[in-house]
Amino acid sequence: MKCTVSQENYLKAIYLLQIQKESVRAVDVSNYMALSKPSVSNALKKLRTERLLTVDKEKNLILTDEGLQAAREIFSRHSFFERLLIDAGVDEGQAMRMPALWNTPSAGRALRY
């Protein structure tokens, strides 16, 4: 599945939040990403439409198997390039804000190297 950079950021945020805490809700994603609740709500609707995310009756966000697999791959790819940039002397904050560069065919080749 091909995700947009925005979708990748949401999947990664949900994945990291689920590692930290047992249940994750939209407000947690909003706070974590420092985005408005309406923006997060719209993005989560798109992830549900793409069948990457479900919401249970308590409004907890649950990554589907496909969503979880995508989130793990995104996290792995982002971590690889963040570490590479930081090791090259790029400020950590800047390195973490460069995900658009990592969503390319070259990124996949670099990871396999």
Side-chain angles (χ1 to χ4, degrees), residues 25-38:
R25 295 182 180 200
V27 67
D28 300 317
V29 176
S30 177
N31 292 335
Y32 181 83
M33 297 181 74
L35 296 171
S36 71
K37 291 175 189 172

Side-chain angles (χ1 to χ4, degrees), residues 13 30 42-43 48 67 77 106 108:
S30 177
N42 287 334
R48 287 196 311 269
R77 187 174 66 245
S106 299

Side-chain angles (χ1 to χ4, degrees), residues 19-113:
I19 290 171
Q20 295 173 10
K21 52 193 289 182
E22 198 167 305
S23 61
V24 177
R25 295 182 180 200
V27 67
D28 300 317
V29 176
S30 177
N31 292 335
Y32 181 83
M33 297 181 74
L35 296 171
S36 71
K37 291 175 189 172
S39 294
V40 171
S41 178
N42 287 334
L44 296 178
K45 283 180 192 174
K46 290 178 186 175
L47 292 176
R48 287 196 311 269
T49 300
E50 297 289 331
R51 298 178 189 229
L52 298 170
L53 179 74
T54 61
V55 180
D56 70 13
K57 62 184 177 185
E58 287 86 29
K59 299 189 180 184
N60 294 312
L61 307 178
I62 302 162
L63 293 171
T64 63
D65 290 341
E66 186 178 351
L68 182 58
Q69 179 182 344
R72 286 178 175 153
E73 290 170 5
I74 292 161
F75 177 71
S76 176
R77 187 174 66 245
H78 286 197
S79 296
F80 172 81
F81 285 105
E82 287 168 5
R83 178 62 17 218
L84 189 67
L85 290 167
I86 292 166
D87 289 349
V90 174
D91 175 72
E92 185 174 349
Q94 284 183 316
M96 295 178 78
R97 288 189 297 271
M98 298 177 143
L101 301 175
W102 311 326
N103 194 12
T104 64
S106 299
R109 287 192 292 277
L111 283 170
R112 288 188 294 277
Y113 178 76

